[in-house]
Amino acid sequence: MNDIASNQPRIDAEEILQGIRRWVEVESPSHDAAAVNRMADLVEADMRAIGATIERTPGREGWGDILTARTPWGGDGPGILVLSHIDTVHPMGFIKDVLPFKQEDDKVFGPGIYDMKGGAYLAYYAYRHLVRSGKQTPLPITFMFVPEEEVGSPTSQKIIEQMALKNKYVLVTEPARDGGKIVTSRKGVLHFDVKCEGRPAHAGAQHQDGRSAIREMAKQIIRFEELTNYETGVTCNVGLVSGGSGVNVVPQFCTAEVDMRVPTPELAEEMTKKILGFTAFDADVKVTITGGINRPPYVKDAGITKLFDHAKALAAEIGFELEDVKITGGGSDGNFTAAVGVPTLDGLGVDGRGAHTDYEQAYYSSFEPRAKLMLRLFETLE
């Protein structure tokens, strides 16, 4: 009896750790398409080895390939879409020079381990467990690995939305928050480019003839920053500014990039209209503002609530309490799928902290329960 039990496949945290390490050690910064594609090669090989049907969409506009893998059962009917991204914000060499893969007690360090190769691997591992167990799920499962989520999924968005509409549920393997909470709502992301064009002049001899683009931009920056309202949940950040050609020249040009987060579609529309209507303070300076909604708000509706309640019950069976965060300001590909009306659960990846930092880490203790939750979602969603 014991021999039979010992031969049964089981969810094993150490095995998960070694698998995550393989994925983390293939560095894949978003802007390096060749590196991202090497990561896609690894994921494709792993998925193909357990019987998945592979579709690979060549990258465009300098980004990596989009990799899609489907379970061999269930045909083309609506099922579960699992969304993961395989790009990271960390540059090549980061794992060697800054953040080597290592384990210290419950903390496992490495670039992208938390955001989000750990979570992406958990979904793969849950599928592999099904295959090892000789089981199929009530619904077919489609795994989509996105190459440029960290920069807004510019070439993947439409495919993500189309794929979501073909399925009943979306599970996103972004990292857990605040001690293991999952995400059921996210703020929308707005992005704007601001350009000011003034009139150059010698800063000493003909200062009065110049019109400073930087001076105008300074006033615009204050206007943008004053849109932040913590009570309504709106935040606005001017994160990049560039201008001028020399300290002794009245600057002709200045540019800025603006990031705004809003909790509702109504506020997204209101803020977009307001910002695109901004005009120059100095009539002699030309101000051009372009942009708008980059990721729509992800709002917890009845379908998402029902899906969360189902996941919460499964977690209780496994032995832990599952909670969701009220709302998070970070965007993900889950914003796209929730906005087109498909019930979406996000933050199903590993627990940890330090996304995008030089101390990024996952918690080893989260590997087994999170993998089991993913497995049970696969097994029970109908």
Side-chain angles (χ1 to χ4, degrees):
M1 188 72 172
N2 290 336
D3 289 340
I4 295 174
S6 66
N7 288 329
Q8 296 301 311
R10 65 187 184 92
I11 301 293
D12 181 79
E14 189 62 29
E15 189 176 47
I16 294 171
L17 172 66
Q18 296 309 316
I20 289 175
R21 178 172 189 164
R22 287 178 59 243
W23 284 24
V24 168
E25 289 182 338
V26 178
E27 294 182 290
S28 51
S30 308
H31 293 276
D32 189 332
V36 174
N37 284 345
R38 284 193 292 272
M39 183 66 205
D41 291 342
L42 173 59
V43 177
E44 178 180 350
D46 284 350
M47 278 288 184
R48 198 181 290 279
I50 52 174
T53 302
I54 304 295
E55 180 180 338
R56 190 154 166 171
T57 304
R60 54 188 177 86
E61 300 173 18
W63 304 107
D65 299 350
I66 300 170
L67 180 66
T68 304
R70 294 182 178 86
T71 55
W73 60 81
D76 296 326
I80 302 168
L81 173 63
V82 181
L83 268 182
S84 305
H85 68 82
I86 53 175
D87 62 316
T88 77
V89 301
H90 304 290
M92 293 296 293
F94 203 79
I95 196 169
K96 175 178 178 292
D97 302 328
V98 180
L99 188 61
F101 190 97
K102 62 181 179 180
Q103 182 175 6
E104 296 178 355
D105 299 322
D106 194 39
K107 301 172 183 177
V108 186
F109 297 85
I113 191 168
Y114 178 56
D115 184 16
M116 60 176 283
K117 289 184 178 177
Y121 187 84
L122 287 188
Y124 155 78
Y125 186 85
Y127 169 40
R128 191 176 78 175
H129 183 81
L130 288 168
V131 174
R132 284 173 161 181
S133 304
K135 296 180 180 178
Q136 296 185 1
T137 54
L139 297 175
I141 309 170
T142 300
F143 300 83
M144 187 173 175
F145 298 92
V146 175
E148 24 65 301
E149 187 275 343
E150 293 291 4
V151 294
S153 306
T155 63
S156 302
Q157 177 181 349
K158 294 301 181 185
I159 298 175
I160 291 168
E161 292 168 341
Q162 292 166 2
M163 194 70 73
L165 289 169
K166 294 178 181 178
N167 285 278
K168 297 178 69 173
Y169 308 100
V170 178
L171 307 178
V172 187
T173 63
E174 289 282 0
R177 305 298 173 93
D178 305 330
K181 294 179 181 178
I182 64 172
V183 177
T184 54
S185 60
R186 291 180 181 272
K187 292 182 181 180
V189 182
L190 281 59
H191 182 94
F192 299 94
D193 293 303
V194 186
K195 298 179 181 179
C196 294
E197 181 178 355
R199 185 188 306 154
H202 191 291
Q206 283 88 34
H207 188 278
Q208 70 279 3
D209 295 335
R211 297 294 183 271
S212 171
I214 290 179
R215 182 174 183 270
E216 174 66 33
M217 185 65 81
K219 293 183 177 181
Q220 295 290 341
I221 288 171
I222 293 172
R223 174 189 267 172
F224 274 104
E225 294 282 350
E226 287 179 342
L227 293 174
T228 292
N229 184 328
Y230 296 125
E231 290 185 4
T232 63
V234 173
T235 59
C236 190
N237 183 66
V238 181
L240 291 171
V241 182
S242 178
S245 58
V247 71
N248 59 347
V249 181
V250 176
Q252 181 179 6
F253 298 106
C254 187
T255 62
E257 291 186 46
V258 182
D259 176 287
M260 176 174 268
R261 307 294 166 115
V262 295
T264 66
E266 293 76 18
L267 275 170
E269 292 183 14
E270 178 187 334
M271 290 294 107
T272 299
K273 184 177 180 180
K274 180 190 287 285
I275 289 168
L276 294 180
F278 283 175
T279 56
F281 290 92
D282 184 339
D284 292 332
V285 177
K286 180 182 178 183
V287 175
T288 305
I289 302 176
T290 57
I293 299 173
N294 174 265
R295 295 184 190 275
Y298 166 0
V299 180
K300 186 179 182 181
D301 59 15
I304 293 172
T305 299
K306 183 178 179 181
L307 182 56
F308 169 69
D309 288 343
H310 180 72
K312 186 178 179 70
L314 294 175
E317 291 176 6
I318 294 166
F320 68 98
E321 182 180 2
L322 187 67
E323 299 178 2
D324 62 339
V325 294
K326 183 177 179 181
I327 190 170
T328 179
S332 89
D333 289 332
N335 287 66
F336 300 135
T337 62
V340 298
V342 182
T344 299
L345 278 189
D346 203 338
L348 286 163
V350 299
D351 193 13
R353 62 189 290 262
H356 300 191
T357 71
D358 60 359
Y359 57 87
E360 182 169 353
Q361 60 196 259
Y363 300 150
Y364 181 85
S365 58
S366 73
F367 294 172
E368 182 179 332
R370 307 295 284 195
K372 287 180 176 178
L373 177 59
M374 184 68 69
L375 174 65
R376 292 296 292 141
L377 285 166
F378 290 169
E379 291 176 332
T380 60
L381 288 176
E382 296 181 354

